[in-house]
């Protein structure tokens, strides 16, 4: 069985996330997704809208995803690759080069990101809707 591993925050799940997971699964038979915990996201400088439990449950419900594990630190990848018998490590190309050190352990692939969609743009869109709502209610 060819096992694939990828990492991410996956806050406010969107089409770009979904397409990454779909393409990651197409690289093997089993996909493990390591979801950044709320605590680790603070280290990454990210404040999530959805708590870890919600993000993990949503990702686990995607048919391309076979297993979800917590991502607690930058340093856990080598151990995760060994512990989960991973064959391919995959990330979106915004991370290109950042995980090349894993090449000595397993195949590393960077997949194209999906343009024009991100959690940040969704958050900004929600904020603008809230502001319009406030103006209407005034
Ligand atoms: N992604 C994508 N297209 C987008 C947005 C995101 O392909 N429009 C991909 C990213 O490249 C990443 C995955 O979706 O591979 C998850 O994105 P994030 O939730 O933003 O993950 P990030 O915060 O980058 O965390 O140790 C690695 C980190 O945990 C990655």
């Amino acid at each position: 069985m060819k096992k694939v591993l990828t990492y991410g925050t996956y806050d406010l799940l969107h089409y770009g996330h979904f397409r990454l997971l779909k393409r990651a699964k197409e690289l093997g038979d089993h996909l493990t997704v390591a979801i950044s915990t709320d605590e680790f996201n603070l280290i990454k400088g990210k404040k999530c809208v959805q708590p870890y439990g919600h993000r993990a449950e949503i990702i686990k419900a995607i048919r391309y995803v076979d297993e979800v594990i917590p991502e607690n630190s930058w340093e856990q990848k080598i151990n995760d690759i060994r512990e989960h018998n991973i064959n391919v490590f995959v990330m979106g190309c915004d991370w290109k080069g950042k995980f090349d050190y894993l090449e000595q352990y397993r195949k590393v692939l960077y997949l194209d990101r999906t343009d024009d969609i991100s959690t940040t743009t969704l958050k900004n869109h929600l904020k603008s809707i809230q502001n319009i709502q406030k103006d209407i209610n005034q």
Side-chain angles (χ1 to χ4, degrees), residues 3 14-15 20 25 30-33 49 56 60-61 80 82 94 108 112 114 116-118:
K3 297 189 74 178
H14 56 67
Y15 184 58
L20 188 286
K25 180 58 178 286
H30 182 285
L31 174 61
T32 300
V33 185
V49 172
K60 186 70 185 74
D80 287 346
R82 287 183 174 140
D94 46 318
V108 173
D112 288 345
T114 301
D116 307 325
I117 181 94
S118 72

Side-chain angles (χ1 to χ4, degrees), residues 51-64:
Y52 170 78
H54 291 198
R55 291 180 284 119
E57 199 172 330
I58 291 166
I59 294 298
K60 186 70 185 74
I62 294 176
R63 65 178 139 124
Y64 305 117

Side-chain angles (χ1 to χ4, degrees), residues 114-129:
T114 301
D115 293 332
D116 307 325
I117 181 94
S118 72
T119 302
T120 306
T121 48
L122 290 179
K123 282 180 183 174
N124 292 339
H125 188 64
L126 289 171
K127 275 183 198 142
S128 61
I129 291 168

Side-chain angles (χ1 to χ4, degrees), residues 71-119:
E71 179 187 28
N72 298 295
S73 73
W74 293 113
E75 296 77 25
Q76 70 182 70
K77 294 182 173 67
I78 297 169
N79 189 53
D80 287 346
I81 281 170
R82 287 183 174 140
E83 219 175 86
H84 294 271
N85 302 312
I86 298 300
N87 304 96
V88 184
F89 171 88
V90 172
M91 285 302 294
C93 63
D94 46 318
W95 291 91
K96 191 160 182 58
K98 300 286 190 312
F99 302 115
D100 290 357
Y101 69 92
L102 294 173
E103 284 282 5
Q104 60 188 304
Y105 303 98
R106 291 296 184 282
K107 188 177 178 68
V108 173
L109 287 175
Y110 299 100
L111 303 179
D112 288 345
R113 272 174 69 94
T114 301
D115 293 332
D116 307 325
I117 181 94
S118 72
T119 302

